Amino acid sequence: MRSVNIQDIAREAGVGKATVSRVINGKGYVSRETAAKIRAVMDRYHYQPSALARSLSRRESDAIGLIIPEANNPFFSSLLTGVCEVLEKCGYTLILRTSGNDTQRDYRALEAMRYQRVRGLIYVPACNYENERDFEQMASRLNDLGSPYVILDRPISRLDCDCVLSDNFSGAYAATEALIRAGHRAIGVIAGNTQLVIGRERVEGFRKAMAQNGLPLHRPFLLTGSFGQEETYRQVTMLMREPEHPTAFFIANNRSEIGFLHAMRDLKLKIPADAAFVSFDELPGQLVFELPYSCLDREVASLGAKAAQLLIRRFDEPGRPAERLVVVPRLTLRGSEKRIARK
Amino acid sequence: MRSVNIQDIAREAGVGKATVSRVINGKGYVSRETAAKIRAVMDRYHYQPSALARSLSRRESDAIGLIIPEANNPFFSSLLTGVCEVLEKCGYTLILRTSGNDTQRDYRALEAMRYQRVRGLIYVPACNYENERDFEQMASRLNDLGSPYVILDRPISRLDCDCVLSDNFSGAYAATEALIRAGHRAIGVIAGNTQLVIGRERVEGFRKAMAQNGLPLHRPFLLTGSFGQEETYRQVTMLMREPEHPTAFFIANNRSEIGFLHAMRDLKLKIPADAAFVSFDELPGQLVFELPYSCLDREVASLGAKAAQLLIRRFDEPGRPAERLVVVPRLTLRGSEKRIARK
DNA sequence: TTGTAAGCGTTATCAC
DNA sequence: GTGATAACGCTTACAA
């Protein structure tokens, strides 16, 4: 790893290394000529200072950590993109880790960030750390980190810190209302992972919309649990085979949506005639294939960008009160919500 | 950024910092009792050594750089996933940059990696740096990096280094042969970006397959250029309106495929009856929606993983000859290649 | 305007 | 076995 260092440059330019340091950082007095001479030498040697040494000396690194559950997921990779863009523009270095939604890996990721002495952290937790013990653990770990952090997408309650979240409740509310306005009355909800706070908030939004409109909530129409595509497939299949079943669904997440769609296909049921729906987030490729599925959109990359901006802003104003950005998803109706007679 | 350091631990444990260092790194002699005492103190203080100081002292960082064109693209985010997994398992730190397929940003990314003194680099170049000047630039920049690197997916010719590539030629060849075997004779190619080597290799594979089977190459059936979705849309639309047009296409990339599909839809042409095709790489969501599109698959994440392994291996054996991994894409036929009569 | 020297938190080389 | 001490490459008072 030995490369030319500040000492080499100083020697070659016949000056002290402090002077070289001054021209590198463009601060402190240094005469035009000296500066020019030094710059010439630096160019000649392709000199590039060492971030390592610099950070150590300044007691402040320029690395920002990002922890996401998975990189291979359109939602998180969009967040990543937003974060990336801002950091590059602002001259920070991005250190990335994934947790695979696994608590242990999540902890290890956090440790890795501490090890690297990141200047700050953008964090999409593997889960919400709701039970007392887990919460304490997490709070203390984040505290140990010793750097500011922004919680992204998945709230950890009681943590008074910057965060960028989605308004899952009102998103779900709006989606459900759209179904109601379309004329549906027997509406079901596919809740996705209710282990996660965001999952529960979505169910709550649904409930509220139903209640406000005086619509009953059939217990069997509530498909909740911590399940993915296959489980949804099974549950939807069973439900739709019952004589009494919903004419529409609010689907709280992507994976459930896929399970739902497959179930519909295998049951030979048509959308929206046999079952209408509105879901959270676009399915990847949905726009490309121009499928008329109504859903709640979030400008995902901009969520990431906002988180990065919030973090950077905190560097300058460490004292300011924690900011809580809650972005309301936009409802886009494309037809799958309609109530139409079966042909 | 001030956190408890090795000195603090040493003092508290009543030993020298060298001894603490020994237990941290688990090498060198240190008595059972001393070690236990030190470990106790470290635990009590949640001590975590500083990667910064460590790297500086060892003259060797544990950071590995990854440069990809965009994070928000299923292909690259899969590569990223593969890289990420291996690095985490092996205890390396991932530093990520994107180039946006832009040469200038690509250069800046490279500089950033040099600045960080990455131990090694995994690099998907923004382009192939084919012209003499660009190549020299790139070669010298990579040399300046001073660390081993692995070129991923987009070859830079004449660079004698580790790389992980796809066999675009034989992929294209296989795809074209599949169309021929299905009974097509008038076959077109949608070449995508022939600025990139991988684009041209695909066209070459196509040509070879046609030639080997004694099939003619109609010049107008070759849609080449550096274009994306819209341009493909236009060109396909025009071509298919001609009385003489292909009955099948080999489509060299994702974006072109989208343009093609949209053109087909707007022309009210059916796949594969009016135009069959085989393309490179799955479209995101294609499997979910179970669209019967035939394509060449690569296990993308494993390409990334291989690159990471290659790089890490080189750390241990700096002298070994450059390795060139060329992965042959697997052809998956799902129906869109068929030659069937228009109903 | 410039140079000297003392850090920054480690590791590594020696003596002891 | 263990502890000084000199690196590592930089920044930053403080002198000059």
Side-chain angles (χ1 to χ4, degrees):
Chain A
M1 203 176 95
R2 171 70 166 97
S3 42
V4 10
N5 63 19
I6 199 172
Q7 185 65 270
D8 299 330
I9 300 299
R11 192 182 317 110
E12 193 69 18
V15 301
K17 44 183 197 162
T19 310
V20 177
S21 177
R22 284 188 201 101
V23 344
I24 293 173
N25 296 291
K27 57 182 175 191
Y29 294 100
V30 43
S31 79
R32 278 218 153 308
E33 308 86 63
T34 320
K37 188 168 54 181
I38 292 175
R39 255 189 277 277
V41 177
M42 294 202 301
D43 284 353
R44 183 142 49 85
Y45 284 87
H46 293 316
Y47 172 69
Q48 170 83 268
S50 158
L52 255 31
R54 213 206 271 250
S55 301
L56 187 61
S57 178
R58 287 197 184 138
R59 268 171 298 283
E60 180 168 283
S61 108
D62 66 346
I64 288 182
L66 172 64
I67 302 176
I68 53 178
E70 347 155 34
N72 203 357
N73 170 315
F75 179 74
F76 298 120
S77 72
S78 292
L79 287 183
L80 168 57
T81 301
V83 170
C84 218
E85 223 119 88
V86 173
L87 295 195
E88 282 172 18
K89 197 162 307 170
C90 300
Y92 291 97
T93 298
L94 174 63
I95 293 184
L96 179 71
R97 290 281 296 212
T98 54
S99 68
N101 282 308
D102 174 80
T103 313
Q104 293 309 312
R105 277 180 67 189
D106 211 29
Y107 285 152
R108 263 180 279 142
L110 238 25
E111 277 310 282
M113 295 304 174
R114 188 153 84 101
Y115 176 51
Q116 296 294 331
R117 300 293 191 270
V118 291
R119 176 86 182 273
L121 175 69
I122 299 169
Y123 182 33
V124 183
C127 68
N128 299 103
Y129 299 100
E130 293 189 278
N131 94 47
E132 189 60 30
R133 259 186 70 79
D134 293 346
F135 172 76
E136 293 302 345
Q137 270 262 4
M138 182 45 66
S140 112
R141 278 170 192 275
L142 283 170
N143 184 55
D144 282 351
L145 183 63
S147 314
Y149 51 88
V150 177
I151 300 282
L152 182 51
D153 188 51
R154 299 178 176 176
I156 299 184
S157 52
R158 287 191 290 159
L159 218 50
D160 182 43
C161 65
D162 292 325
C163 47
V164 177
L165 306 171
S166 296
D167 191 338
N168 296 292
F169 180 88
S170 64
Y173 187 96
T176 310
E177 271 235 307
L179 291 170
I180 297 171
R181 267 203 295 272
H184 295 282
R185 303 191 58 80
I187 306 178
V189 60
I190 305 178
N193 189 346
T194 47
Q195 301 284 88
L196 289 177
V197 170
I198 58 176
R200 294 199 299 268
E201 288 173 346
R202 292 172 192 183
V203 175
E204 283 317 306
F206 168 80
R207 291 196 127 101
K208 181 76 178 293
M210 294 293 277
Q212 293 261 305
N213 286 275
L215 292 179
L217 229 64
H218 277 297
R219 197 62 194 70
F221 291 6
L222 254 78
L223 273 31
T224 65
S226 154
F227 50 78
Q229 182 176 330
E230 298 74 17
E231 182 65 12
T232 306
Y233 178 92
R234 266 193 298 278
Q235 299 217 24
V236 169
T237 303
M238 282 175 50
L239 179 54
M240 292 304 286
R241 278 188 179 140
E242 295 292 320
E244 193 181 359
H245 58 240
T247 64
F249 286 95
F250 164 59
I251 303 175
N253 77 41
N254 257 344
R255 262 198 291 265
S256 294
E257 184 177 354
I258 298 174
F260 168 82
L261 289 173
H262 286 181
M264 295 298 285
R265 175 207 55 203
D266 291 352
L267 291 167
K268 306 247 187 299
L269 294 179
K270 288 272 171 295
I271 294 164
D274 299 311
F277 79 90
V278 177
S279 69
F280 227 97
D281 289 334
E282 268 160 20
L283 239 35
Q286 173 182 327
L287 258 46
V288 166
F289 301 124
E290 296 181 306
L291 300 169
Y293 300 158
S294 301
C295 61
L296 294 159
D297 286 325
R298 304 179 272 181
E299 285 176 39
V300 186
S302 87
L303 293 183
K306 287 218 176 76
Q309 284 155 353
L310 222 55
L311 183 60
I312 292 172
R313 177 147 182 212
R314 177 147 309 275
F315 296 155
D316 303 324
E317 310 172 51
R320 63 200 289 275
E323 190 158 337
R324 203 184 160 76
L325 242 60
V326 180
V327 179
V328 179
R330 194 170 32 90
L331 181 64
T332 307
L333 263 18
R334 298 194 177 86
S336 70
E337 81 288 356
K338 296 216 174 108
R339 173 141 173 75
I340 54 177
R342 180 84 156 106
K343 288 160 210 166
Chain B
M1 203 176 95
R2 171 71 165 97
S3 42
V4 11
N5 63 20
I6 199 172
Q7 185 65 269
D8 300 330
I9 300 299
R11 191 182 317 110
E12 194 69 17
V15 299
K17 44 183 197 165
T19 309
V20 178
S21 178
R22 283 188 202 101
V23 344
I24 293 172
N25 297 289
K27 57 182 174 189
Y29 293 101
V30 43
S31 79
R32 278 219 152 311
E33 308 86 63
T34 321
K37 187 169 53 182
I38 292 175
R39 256 189 277 277
V41 178
M42 294 202 300
D43 284 353
R44 183 143 49 85
Y45 285 88
H46 293 315
Y47 171 69
Q48 171 82 270
S50 158
L52 255 29
R54 213 206 271 249
S55 301
L56 187 62
S57 180
R58 287 196 183 140
R59 268 171 296 285
E60 181 168 283
S61 108
D62 66 345
I64 287 183
L66 172 64
I67 303 176
I68 53 178
E70 346 155 36
N72 202 359
N73 169 316
F75 179 75
F76 298 121
S77 73
S78 292
L79 287 182
L80 168 57
T81 300
V83 170
C84 218
E85 223 119 90
V86 173
L87 295 195
E88 281 172 20
K89 197 162 308 170
C90 300
Y92 291 96
T93 298
L94 175 63
I95 294 184
L96 178 71
R97 291 279 297 211
T98 55
S99 67
N101 283 309
D102 174 79
T103 313
Q104 293 309 312
R105 276 180 68 188
D106 211 29
Y107 285 153
R108 263 180 278 142
L110 238 24
E111 279 308 282
M113 295 304 173
R114 190 153 84 100
Y115 177 51
Q116 296 294 331
R117 300 294 190 268
V118 291
R119 176 88 182 272
L121 175 69
I122 299 170
Y123 182 33
V124 182
C127 68
N128 300 103
Y129 299 100
E130 293 188 279
N131 94 47
E132 188 61 30
R133 260 186 70 79
D134 293 345
F135 172 75
E136 292 302 345
Q137 271 261 5
M138 183 42 67
S140 110
R141 277 170 193 275
L142 283 171
N143 184 55
D144 282 351
L145 183 63
S147 313
Y149 51 90
V150 177
I151 300 283
L152 182 51
D153 188 51
R154 299 177 177 178
I156 298 184
S157 51
R158 288 190 291 159
L159 219 50
D160 182 42
C161 65
D162 290 326
C163 46
V164 177
L165 307 171
S166 296
D167 192 339
N168 296 290
F169 180 88
S170 64
Y173 187 95
T176 310
E177 271 233 307
L179 291 170
I180 297 172
R181 266 204 294 273
H184 294 282
R185 303 190 58 80
I187 306 176
V189 60
I190 305 178
N193 189 345
T194 46
Q195 303 283 89
L196 289 176
V197 169
I198 59 176
R200 294 200 300 269
E201 288 173 346
R202 292 173 191 182
V203 175
E204 283 316 305
F206 168 79
R207 290 195 127 101
K208 181 76 179 292
M210 293 295 276
Q212 294 260 304
N213 287 275
L215 292 179
L217 229 66
H218 277 298
R219 196 62 194 71
F221 290 7
L222 254 78
L223 272 33
T224 64
S226 153
F227 49 79
Q229 182 176 330
E230 298 74 16
E231 182 66 12
T232 305
Y233 178 92
R234 267 194 296 280
Q235 298 218 23
V236 169
T237 303
M238 282 175 50
L239 178 55
M240 292 304 285
R241 278 186 178 142
E242 295 292 320
E244 194 181 358
H245 58 241
T247 64
F249 286 94
F250 164 58
I251 303 175
N253 77 43
N254 257 345
R255 264 198 290 265
S256 293
E257 184 177 353
I258 298 173
F260 168 82
L261 290 172
H262 286 183
M264 295 298 285
R265 175 206 55 201
D266 291 352
L267 291 166
K268 307 246 188 299
L269 294 179
K270 289 271 172 294
I271 293 165
D274 299 311
F277 79 91
V278 177
S279 69
F280 227 97
D281 289 334
E282 268 160 19
L283 238 37
Q286 172 181 329
L287 258 47
V288 166
F289 301 124
E290 295 180 307
L291 300 168
Y293 299 159
S294 302
C295 62
L296 294 159
D297 286 325
R298 304 179 272 181
E299 284 176 38
V300 186
S302 88
L303 292 184
K306 288 218 175 75
Q309 284 155 350
L310 222 53
L311 183 60
I312 292 172
R313 176 147 182 209
R314 177 147 308 276
F315 296 156
D316 303 322
E317 311 170 52
R320 64 199 290 275
E323 190 157 335
R324 202 184 161 75
L325 244 59
V326 180
V327 180
V328 180
R330 194 169 32 90
L331 181 64
T332 308
L333 263 18
R334 298 193 177 86
S336 71
E337 80 288 355
K338 295 216 175 110
R339 173 141 173 73
I340 54 177
R342 180 84 157 106
K343 289 161 209 167

